[in-house]
Amino acid sequence: MATHASPTTRLHEAELAPASSRRDVVRPGVAPWVGLAVLTVAATFVFWLFDALPFQDLPAHAGFVALRHHFQEWTFDQRYFVVAPHLGPYSLFRTLGELFVVPLGPVGAVRLLATLPVLATPIVLLWARRRLHGDRTPTAGYFALALSFGFMTILGFASYLLGVAVMLVALTTWLELLAAVETGDASARRRELLVAAIAPLAFVAHGHAFVIFLALAGVSALATGRRVQRLLRLRALAPAVALAAWVAFRERASVLPAGSVPPPNPALEPHFQGAYDKLSLFVTPTLLTRTGIDAAVGIVLWAVLGAAVVATVRSLRAEPPGAGLRTVESAELASSLHARALVACVAVLGAGFLVLPHSIGWFGFVDGRLVPLILLVAVLAVRRDALGRNLGAVFDRTAPVAAFAMVAIALGASQLFQTEARGWREVLAQVPAESRLLNLPLDPNSDVFTAHPFIHYDKLVLTERPVVVSDVWFHQGSAVYPTAENPSLHLPASYSESDLRFIDWPAYRLSDWDYVLVRTRPEAGPPYVPPTLTLAAHRGGWWLFKTGTGGGG
C-alpha cells in the first residue's frame, strides 16, 4: 500500500535537508531580478550621460588609446614617442581599447572600458554564488553593484577592476577543481584544463590581480580537505606562471624598444603609510564623493558582511571537515569546502592589506586595492543556511538598498561635477595640432568627488589631434616609451600632476613646450606665471598660456 507524506512532514523534511537540496524551496520573485537589471542599466549611465568625466585616469587612457591607434599616421608624435605593445599585464585592456576605438572613438572606448567592470562584476558574483553554493537569489549582484562604485572607480582603475572580475572567474573555477578532487568527481581532469586555460587570461588582464589569484589559489588549497591532493593541482597554474616569469624577465632586463631611451620612472621602492592613513582605507570600497553618505554605505556593508562571515565560520566550526562526508550530499560538501577556503582567503587578504606598502615606485594604491576585494570574496564565502532568519533578511535587504544608494550618489555627483569642469572643451580646443603641452594642475581636486579628477584632462587633446603631453605612463602597460627628444625627460623631480601644490617656475624648461595648461579652482583669480607666458584662453578653472616658442599650428 502506498503511503504519502503530509504537508507538515514534507515541510519538516525540507527544513532538515541540506541547503543544496533545498535550493528550490526559497526562490526570489521576479521583482528583485527586474530591480537588479534596471539598477545595473542606470549604473552604466554614469559613464555615458555626462560630458566631463570625473574618473581620474580615464582621460589619460583615452589619450593613450588614441596615440596607439593613430601612431603610424602621426609623424609628429613619432619624434617623441615609441609605441611597442607586447604581451603582458594590461594586454587585455589595451586590446579591448583598440577594438572599441574604431566604432566609438577614444573617449567612447574608455567609457565602454569603464562600463565593463560594472556589468561584469555583478554577473560574475551571481554566477560564482550559484556555482559554489547553489544560490539562485540576486543578492550577490546587488552587493557587487554597490562595490562597483568605490575609490578605485573614481581613480579610473578600470583595468584593475576588470582584472578583478576575471580573477574571480579564475578563482571560482579553481575552487570547483579542488572540490572535484576532494569528492573524487570524474570532472577533475576537465576542470584542471579549464583552470590552465583561464589563469593566463587573469595575468594579461592585470598583473596585480593575477598575483592575488596565485596567493588565493595557494591559500584555498591549504585551507581544508586533502591538502596534498589539492596542492598537486597547482600544476594547472604552471602555464600562467611561466608566462608571467617571461614577461617579468623582459621588464627586469630593461629591454627597451628600438629608438626609445630609459624613462624617468621612480625606483621600485615601497612606500608605507601611517596607521591612521592605513585604517582610513577601510571606507574606500564605496568612497566616491566628499558627502560622507557613500562612506556610511561602506560601513554598513562591512557590518553586514562581517556578521554574515562570522555566522558562516560558526556554522563551519560546528561541522568539522571530514565528519560524515559519506552521509552528506556532494553539493553540500562542496559548498562547505568552498566556504572554508573562501573564509581563509578573506583572512589572508586582510593580513595582506595590513602588511603591504601603499605604493611601489610608480605603482600606487597597492594595499588599498585589496580592501574591496575582501568584501567581494566575503560575499562568495557566506553560506545562507548559516545566517538564520533575522540575519538572512538583513543580508538580502541591505544589498539592494546599498546598490541603489551608490548608483544614485554616482549619478547625482556626476551632474554636479559638470559645473566644476566647465570650460575644459573651449580651452583645450585652443591647443593646435603638433604642439607640446605642459600640464600644471595647481588644484586638480573636486569639491564633489574624491581623488584628483582634473590631473589628466590635458590627454583629451590627444584624443583628437597629435600633440605631446607632459605626464605619460612610460611602461609596458601603456606600451608607450620616450625618445631622446621627448621634453618630459627634462621635467623636474618635483613634478607630480596629482600633488603639484605650487609651481617652481625656474625648474621648468619652458622652451621645451609650446603651451602650458594650468588648472585652478573656478572661482580663483589668475595664477602667477612668468612674463614670458601669454594668456591664450581662459574658462572657469582652466588657463592656457603660450610660451612664445613658435611651436604648434
Side-chain angles (χ1 to χ4, degrees), residues 424-509:
W424 70 273
R425 277 194 179 277
E426 294 84 353
V427 170
L428 295 185
Q430 301 305 310
V431 180
E434 301 190 358
S435 299
R436 297 164 298 176
L437 177 63
L438 173 62
N439 187 32
L440 298 174
L442 272 175
D443 194 333
N445 299 327
S446 163
D447 290 335
V448 180
F449 283 104
T450 54
H452 313 291
F454 296 117
I455 64 174
H456 292 304
Y457 262 62
D458 60 313
K459 315 300 187 301
L460 293 174
V461 181
L462 195 55
T463 65
E464 298 181 353
R465 49 197 176 275
V467 295
V468 173
V469 290
S470 57
D471 182 36
V472 178
W473 306 324
F474 294 124
H475 54 68
Q476 180 271 337
S478 66
V480 177
Y481 301 86
T483 67
E485 290 188 62
N486 196 298
S488 294
L489 299 175
H490 308 298
L491 289 171
S494 60
Y495 178 72
S496 172
E497 284 189 326
S498 61
D499 192 23
L500 196 58
R501 298 186 184 182
F502 68 95
I503 302 175
D504 182 16
W505 288 107
Y508 291 87
R509 291 172 43 170

Side-chain angles (χ1 to χ4, degrees), residues 334-382:
S335 175
S336 175
L337 293 170
H338 298 326
R340 293 178 187 277
L342 288 165
V343 166
C345 289
V346 169
V348 168
L349 286 171
F353 164 73
L354 293 175
V355 302
L356 282 174
H358 189 62
S359 62
I360 302 176
W362 59 267
F363 189 77
F365 212 59
V366 177
D367 51 354
R369 294 170 191 253
L370 298 185
V371 184
L373 190 54
I374 293 172
L375 294 178
L376 289 171
V377 176
V379 172
L380 296 183
V382 170

